[in-house]
Amino acid sequence: MGIFDKGKPVYSTTGCNRTGCVYCGFGCHREKSPNRWEIAEQLSNPAIIDYMMRGGDFDEDGIWKPDKRGLGFWFVIEWINVHGNLHIIMPHRKKYLAQYTTAETERYLAV
């Protein structure tokens, strides 16, 4: 049907060898740079990846949730890297840590 080349699907819209949501992190701990988010940022709309990374906040019950600024993956990835030692590559890590780290997030990220 024109979507396969030598038995493998060809996804010309993103350049990634995956299907599904661009925000999905399944298996991201096994990827080297450039990972799926770095590639999507280069080949697609960088604002999508920025929205995914920025923002987030704790609600009144202490649960991390997206907020009006973004989904807050920066904190999720950083927490997993600190406490799970998975070394997930976060695009523009220093930028997001500098912009969104608070005293509360620092408490959770402390080892």
Side-chain angles (χ1 to χ4, degrees):
M1 307 219 15
I3 63 168
F4 291 93
D5 178 23
K6 298 182 183 180
K8 292 186 177 185
V10 177
Y11 305 105
S12 61
T13 56
T14 64
C16 296
N17 61 353
R18 60 130 182 98
T19 60
C21 179
V22 69
Y23 304 127
C24 181
F26 185 78
C28 65
H29 65 289
R30 301 189 70 181
E31 295 178 359
K32 305 257 186 270
S33 188
N35 69 6
R36 67 187 78 188
W37 300 312
E38 292 170 311
I39 292 168
E41 185 179 54
Q42 292 169 4
L43 300 178
S44 186
N45 185 348
I48 292 171
I49 303 305
D50 182 54
Y51 174 73
M52 178 184 96
M53 292 295 172
R54 72 176 184 250
D57 203 357
F58 293 99
D59 69 7
E60 58 277 352
D61 296 322
I63 298 171
W64 184 258
K65 292 188 175 181
D67 64 13
K68 63 183 179 190
R69 300 171 299 172
L71 298 179
F73 273 40
W74 74 270
F75 177 74
V76 175
I77 294 169
E78 192 67 14
W79 191 94
I80 291 170
N81 284 342
V82 168
H83 298 285
N85 199 27
L86 290 183
H87 308 290
I88 299 168
I89 299 164
M90 180 193 323
H92 313 291
R93 178 181 175 270
K94 288 181 183 179
K95 168 188 154 187
Y96 292 109
L97 291 176
Q99 192 168 0
Y100 296 108
T101 298
T102 64
E104 191 170 16
T105 59
E106 279 185 341
R107 253 191 24 231
Y108 284 97
L109 295 174
V111 181

